[in-house]
Amino acid sequence: VWVSSWDAGIGDDELGRLHGARYVRWRGRLTGHIETAIRLGQISATDPELLAIRCAAFAHGLVVQALFDPELMTPEVQIRLLDEFLTSLE
């Protein structure tokens, strides 16, 4: 449902604005968590907003890959990829 709504959002200006606003809010929440992790010394990012974009892009890519190649993208593979991604942020 979530992914299929992207198509409708491209063709419907109001739905597109709603999607866009939701992603702005999501990236804002991610940015807040990243800023906290930086303050705690858990990661050494220098641009929290750019890292939030990177995290969102990773999450979306993972979802799309899992949807279209579930035999390859088993839960175990997804967890491994997520672990490696998060480790790369340290």
Side-chain angles (χ1 to χ4, degrees):
V1 172
W2 170 48
V3 174
S4 65
S5 71
W6 296 342
D7 231 11
I10 292 170
D12 181 304
D13 290 341
E14 180 60 23
L15 185 56
R17 280 191 291 279
L18 291 172
H19 277 307
R22 188 181 74 221
Y23 286 114
V24 167
R25 288 190 307 273
W26 180 39
R27 289 190 306 269
R29 286 192 307 273
L30 287 172
T31 299
H33 292 301
I34 290 165
E35 290 169 342
T36 298
I38 291 168
R39 275 194 309 278
L40 294 173
Q42 296 170 332
I43 59 174
S44 60
T46 58
D47 187 339
E49 289 180 8
L50 187 60
L51 182 53
I53 293 167
R54 181 177 165 209
C55 290
F58 173 82
H60 276 277
L62 189 62
V63 166
V64 172
Q65 292 294 315
L67 286 172
F68 288 104
D69 199 350
E71 289 180 16
L72 172 66
M73 299 298 289
T74 62
E76 296 78 17
V77 169
Q78 292 177 60
I79 290 168
R80 180 177 174 191
L81 290 170
L82 178 59
D83 285 344
E84 289 176 2
F85 177 77
L86 293 173
T87 299
S88 76
L89 303 179
E90 295 175 353

